[in-house]
């Protein structure tokens, strides 16, 4: 299920253990303590972006307005 694909306005996820996880930055190695649901949602949000390091190579979506992911320094 791809519930949060392209949802660039989602900033936080609060898991059932009442821990708040910030959704920002580039996809990097996750801490082992980050729940898989948070990893999945983070990946869905960034799925339309082809990113290499801090460079945005390509946007694959169709939205007219897009928020560039945090951490991008080159487009």
């Amino acid at each position: 299920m791809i519930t949060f694909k392209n949802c660039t306005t989602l900033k936080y996820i609060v898991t059932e253990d009442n821990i708040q996880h910030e959704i920002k930055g580039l996809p990097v190695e996750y801490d082992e303590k980050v729940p898989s649901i948070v990893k999945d949602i983070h990946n869905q949000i960034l799925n339309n972006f082809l990113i290499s390091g801090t460079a945005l190579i390509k946007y694959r979506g169709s939205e007219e307005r897009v928020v560039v992911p945090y951490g991008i320094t080159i487009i």
Side-chain angles (χ1 to χ4, degrees), residues 34-74:
V34 175
S36 62
I37 187 68
V38 174
K39 295 175 193 176
D40 290 345
I41 291 171
H42 189 263
N43 287 332
Q44 285 178 26
I45 291 170
L46 295 176
N47 193 38
N48 276 337
F49 296 98
L50 177 58
I51 297 170
S52 177
T54 61
L56 174 57
I57 307 299
K58 183 177 183 179
Y59 173 67
R60 299 180 262 204
S62 59
E63 292 78 17
E64 291 182 21
R65 294 183 62 163
V66 176
V67 176
V68 175
Y70 177 82
I72 295 294
T73 59
I74 302 167

Side-chain angles (χ1 to χ4, degrees), residues 3-14 20-25 37-46 67 69-70:
T3 307
F4 294 98
K5 185 174 182 178
N6 304 323
C7 181
T8 57
T9 59
L10 181 66
K11 302 297 180 204
Y12 300 96
I13 298 171
V14 179
Q20 180 174 299
H21 301 273
E22 189 172 8
I23 302 297
K24 70 172 192 171
I37 187 68
V38 174
K39 295 175 193 176
D40 290 345
I41 291 171
H42 189 263
N43 287 332
Q44 285 178 26
I45 291 170
L46 295 176
V67 176
Y70 177 82

